[in-house]
Each structure stands twice: as structure tokens, then as C-alpha cells.
Amino acid sequence: MFVEYIPVTAYTNHLITTIESMEQPKISRRFFVSISAMAGAFAFIPASVKSAYISAKNLFIPQKRALPLSVSINKKLYKLQPDTRTTLLDLLREDLQLTGSKKGCDHGQCGACTVHVDGERVLSCLTLAAMVQGREVTTIEGLANGDELHPMQKAFVECDGFQCGYCTPGQIMSAVACVKEGHTGSVEEIKEFMSGNLCRCGAYNGIVKSIQQVAQ
Amino acid sequence: MKPFDLLRPSSIAKAISAKQSQVQFLAGGTNLVDLMKKHIATPDVVLDVTPILSSQITGSAESLLIGAAAKNSSAAMDKLVLASYPLIAKAILAGASPQIRNMASTAGNLLQRTRCPYFYDTTLPCNKRNPGEGCGMREGESRMGAIIGHSEHCVAVHPSDLCIALAALDAEVLYAVAGEKKPMVIPFKDFHRLPGDAPEKDNNLPQNALITGVRIPKNPFSKNYAYVKLRDRDSYAFALVSVAAALHLQGGRIVEARLASGGVAHKPWRWYQAENFLKGKIPSVEVFAEAAALAANETAPLVGNAFKKPMLKGAIEVALQNCLTA
């Protein structure tokens, strides 16, 4: 394939002459006045256009409703303004970046989101954030004492209480409550009172062993 | 979820006056929040009624009163319940998980919607969710469906365990309505309703009423009782068939028997025929089997759940036998 070589100077010269030969657009006085008048008229339209837009938006896009909320999470007081629809789980994970509590099913069937509210284990996915007003919430992040792991966390590590680890924060929060409630009399009792926490890896034996170790 | 306003009425009277069709009471939230996520419940306003309802459990010479806001777990652990009304604790512990029992309220338990998969799946037809749409389960996957009291419009079953015990013990539901100072009362057997041609209605609670408590009359069933729940896994599953049984024995004979079942009908189902049969009988495996057959023969299973009939018969037999060893 042959490419014709065009000297740069020739090319730029050509461009310059083209630009110079272009005629400047002429704006007549009459044109300027009529355009200005039209632009002025537009200034009156936006109020109605805007309101039409807002009412259409309100019709199709639901309005957020916020709610003042003060809650203590892992012994730290928070003053927040969550949407009324926010669940405790979403508040923890999305608003406060406390991502230890996991979203498994989001419908109260798996227990991965288990946290303590006033010391009792609950499902944070079925708890509206508004319902923990003035309460004390403890998540997996609040269990250890600095670098010192909670005995249940240590037991899970020692007894192979997990494989992939996704259900583990919920399992540990539930296990701590299970021991506190005193439902550790037998393997059967532990299994019954841990039945709200599912583990798809099947680390159940290690979980039961961890609970037995801490209960002793 | 559809956006909503969350309000906290300061009294029961104010809660009732604020209640309209697009307004929902919220207590434990274990059912309502789930239904709101699935856009099955779409209230404009949610009223948090937990601060204004009693969570006390109090006993008197004639009865036990469980406050509407009492958590399932506190009712199951209550000393009074365990001593004189143990069937209630037994039924509660057969249901849900410890986390859910810590959240769920007594009144909310009564108002649970069905767990019928056709009700929950918004892409499938359901008369309970969308009246007039048709019942998907009746001719569909009816394994979890009713075997008695169902209609052509609905074959869903009531999901609660607590309610089965309450039905067996002839409890009463107390509720407040506008303009009435004294609490109103519905006998438990009349509280829930059969689907008929209006399956969207689960119960006979008047519009805008607020449940304030459940009363259980003093009974002689604290010794010989049982709750048997059969389900797809050993724990944390809804019943295929459950049986609450209670016997009052005197001089080796059955003075009175109570039998109620979950997982079989749109409401907690009492087996009155079998109860009457047991009256005055000397308890034995044969007598129990005969009573169980009476109950099972009343049923009319659907295409997909014929297995529930023999399952019910067996569950009643086991429950009655367990009454003797309880």
C-alpha cells in the first residue's frame, strides 16, 4: 500500500488559508433583540416546569422518610438519621461500616446477621433500626477486648468452628448467648438452641465443640 | 420496602384512632418487616406499639394473662407458665429459633400471616395476597397445604405453634377498640377464621382493634400434656403437622382431653370428635389409636398432601402417649 507523503508545512498552510477565508457570522440587531426576548420568556417557564417535574418525580419515585435515632453500638453512642426502612443490619453495614454482621438471606432464615440487643440475641435483618432507639447493640466487632479475643472467638479458632467463615460472626454471637442462656446441657440441647444459625460448610461439629469448651 | 412514616403513639387510644387500612401496628417485626421487604405488606404508616403494650405475665386464681408485647422467649421461660401452663412453653419452644423468639411478641404471633409459598412468591397467584387472583396451591405444589377446612379459594395453613397450645387450652384474646374502656374478648376458637370466600382475612379481629393480651383459664392439664411437631428438619422449620395434646386423668380414667393441630388448616384446629371419644376412657394405645383415627378420618387432603392424613394419625397417637410420660 502506498501512502502519499504530504509535507507538514503544506498541510498547515492549507488549514490557515481555509480559516482566514471563512466569513465571520453577522448578527443583526433584529436577530439579537428577538433572541433576547425569547430567552427572557424562558425565565418564566421553569417554575411550572420544575413543579411538574417534582410532582411527576413524587409520583414515581417514593420519598425517603428519615428518623432521628440515638443508639449505643459496641458501647459507643451514635446519633443518626436513618431512613425509616433501614434495618439494623443495613445501618451497621452500610451506614457505619461495621461489616462483621453478615447479610445471608435477609429474611430471618439463616442467622448470619445475629447481634445482641440489650444482651439478647436477635436477627438484625428483621429489626428496623428505628426499633433499637436507646438500646445497647453489640456486634461481633464489640466482642473482643482490644487484641484479646473473646473466649468464644478463641474456641472457634481452636475447634475449627468454621470453614468459609461467612456464617461465623452470627454463629459466635448466637453461641455467646447460648452459653449465657444456659442451653449447653447436651449436644442435642446445643444443636436445638443453635438451630437458628445455618452453616453451609457444615462446620456444626466444631461449633458444638467450641460451645462446649466455653461452657465448661 | 415502600417508604413509610414510623410513629410512636403515646397511648392505646391514640394508636387505635391512628389505625386505618394503610397503617400497620409493629411489635416484634419478625413477620411484618419480612412481608414489607417482599412488598406483600405496603403500609404508608407504621405504628410502633411496643412501648404502650404490656409485656407482663401475671397469674390469678382463675387464669393467666400474657401481655400482648411479652416476647415468646419470656413466655416460654416464665415460672408461672412452666408450673401451671407448661404446654404453652413447650409449643413456643417448638417454633422458630432463639433469636426470633427473643423478638416475636405474643400478639404478633397470633397475627402471623401464612407461610404458604404461593402467598410469599409475588409472581404466583394467591387469593390471600391479591383477592380474586386464584389459588396457586390448590392445583399446584400442595405439599404444605391444608387437609381440613380449606375452600376452593384458599388452602393455606396457619403457621403458629403457640396458637395451637392456646387453642387447646381454650384461651381468650383481649383487645381494645375505639370508644370502649373495657377490653373486649374473643374466645380463641373464634379468633382465627377459615378461608371461605375471603381468604385475605386471617381472623375475626374487628377493624382497627389492638390486641392487648391473651388470657388462659386455669386448667387441670399441667401434668399430662405433649406437643408433637413433625417437619422437614428437626428444628427451625414450619410444621407439616403438629399436635398439642393434654389429658386430665383421675382414677385411671380420662376426665377430659384436649387435642389441637397446626399445619392442617387455615386456623388452629381442634379435634372435638376425638376429644369427646376420649372422655371417660381408660388410656391405652388402642384407645389413642381409635381417637387418632377419628380425627384423621375428618380430613380431606389435597392432591399433593395425602401423606398428611396418616402423619396426623401417628402424631396424635404419639402425642397422647407422650401425655402419659410427660
Side-chain angles (χ1 to χ4, degrees), chain A residues 99-115:
Chain A
T99 51
S101 308
K102 295 290 183 275
K103 185 179 274 196
C105 68
D106 207 25
H107 288 284
Q109 297 171 4
C110 74
C113 66
T114 303
V115 299

Side-chain angles (χ1 to χ4, degrees), chain B:
Chain B
M1 264 184 252
K2 199 182 92 176
F4 57 87
D5 284 318
L6 195 136
L7 306 172
R8 292 199 173 87
S10 55
S11 69
I12 289 177
K14 281 184 183 157
I16 295 167
S17 66
K19 178 84 168 68
Q20 290 152 13
S21 63
Q22 275 304 302
V23 179
Q24 282 270 6
F25 293 134
L26 176 68
T30 54
N31 196 197
L32 182 62
V33 173
D34 196 16
L35 292 172
M36 282 162 65
K37 283 185 181 184
K38 289 185 172 270
H39 288 259
I40 295 169
T42 53
D44 292 328
V45 178
V46 169
L47 302 174
D48 173 10
V49 288
T50 44
I52 55 170
L53 291 173
S54 165
S55 54
Q56 300 289 310
I57 300 172
T58 48
S60 70
E62 305 89 49
S63 61
L64 177 83
L65 182 65
I66 305 177
K71 299 294 182 200
N72 281 185
S73 52
S74 29
M77 287 187 299
D78 186 81
K79 283 196 178 99
L80 211 57
V81 171
L82 289 170
S84 306
Y85 307 87
L87 179 59
I88 290 178
K90 192 115 180 170
I92 290 174
L93 291 179
S97 69
Q99 289 98 310
I100 291 174
R101 296 196 292 265
N102 278 341
M103 303 165 73
S105 70
T106 303
N109 193 298
L110 269 54
L111 298 176
Q112 275 184 87
R113 307 301 313 268
T114 183
R115 298 288 168 163
C116 175
Y118 291 85
F119 175 71
Y120 258 76
D121 189 337
T122 50
T123 62
L124 297 173
C126 172
N127 283 326
K128 194 180 265 300
R129 182 167 26 79
N130 274 335
E133 202 176 47
C135 172
M137 188 189 246
R138 196 175 174 81
E139 302 298 328
E141 198 58 53
S142 57
R143 191 169 173 275
M144 298 291 289
I147 53 171
I148 193 162
H150 46 74
S151 76
E152 58 174 309
H153 303 289
C154 182
V155 295
V157 299
H158 176 74
S160 164
D161 290 296
L162 167 63
C163 288
I164 309 308
L166 292 175
L169 298 177
D170 276 340
E172 293 168 325
V173 181
L174 311 184
Y175 64 92
V177 282
E180 284 286 341
K181 283 245 155 64
K182 281 176 75 181
M184 310 291 281
V185 180
I186 312 182
F188 207 84
K189 65 175 170 58
D190 301 327
F191 182 79
H192 295 101
R193 59 188 296 284
L194 289 179
D197 55 7
E200 68 278 11
K201 278 194 74 171
D202 291 346
N203 57 60
N204 292 314
L205 199 64
Q207 196 98 59
N208 307 346
L210 179 61
I211 297 177
T212 54
V214 175
R215 190 162 60 203
I216 303 119
K218 194 98 188 144
N219 62 63
F221 302 116
S222 60
K223 280 201 192 82
N224 302 105
Y225 63 91
Y227 190 77
V228 170
K229 185 176 180 184
L230 301 175
R231 42 190 159 170
D232 284 332
R233 61 181 178 205
D234 223 16
S235 180
Y236 200 22
F238 288 97
L240 287 165
V241 165
S242 71
V243 176
L247 297 176
H248 176 206
L249 301 171
Q250 220 167 36
R253 280 182 188 275
I254 299 166
V255 180
E256 197 183 357
R258 298 281 173 85
L259 277 174
S261 279
V264 297
H266 195 262
K267 61 185 280 186
W269 194 267
R270 277 281 290 272
W271 306 105
Y272 291 111
Q273 220 184 322
E275 287 179 14
N276 286 335
F277 168 80
L278 288 167
K279 217 176 265 182
K281 298 273 189 316
I282 297 167
S284 72
V285 172
E286 292 75 29
V287 165
F288 291 162
E290 224 172 309
L294 274 176
N297 287 337
E298 284 184 57
T299 63
L302 306 167
V303 183
N305 64 8
F307 72 93
K308 276 194 181 187
K309 189 175 171 178
M311 186 180 251
L312 171 72
K313 185 175 179 293
I316 292 177
E317 286 178 46
V318 170
L320 287 169
Q321 286 167 30
N322 287 355
C323 282
L324 301 180
T325 53

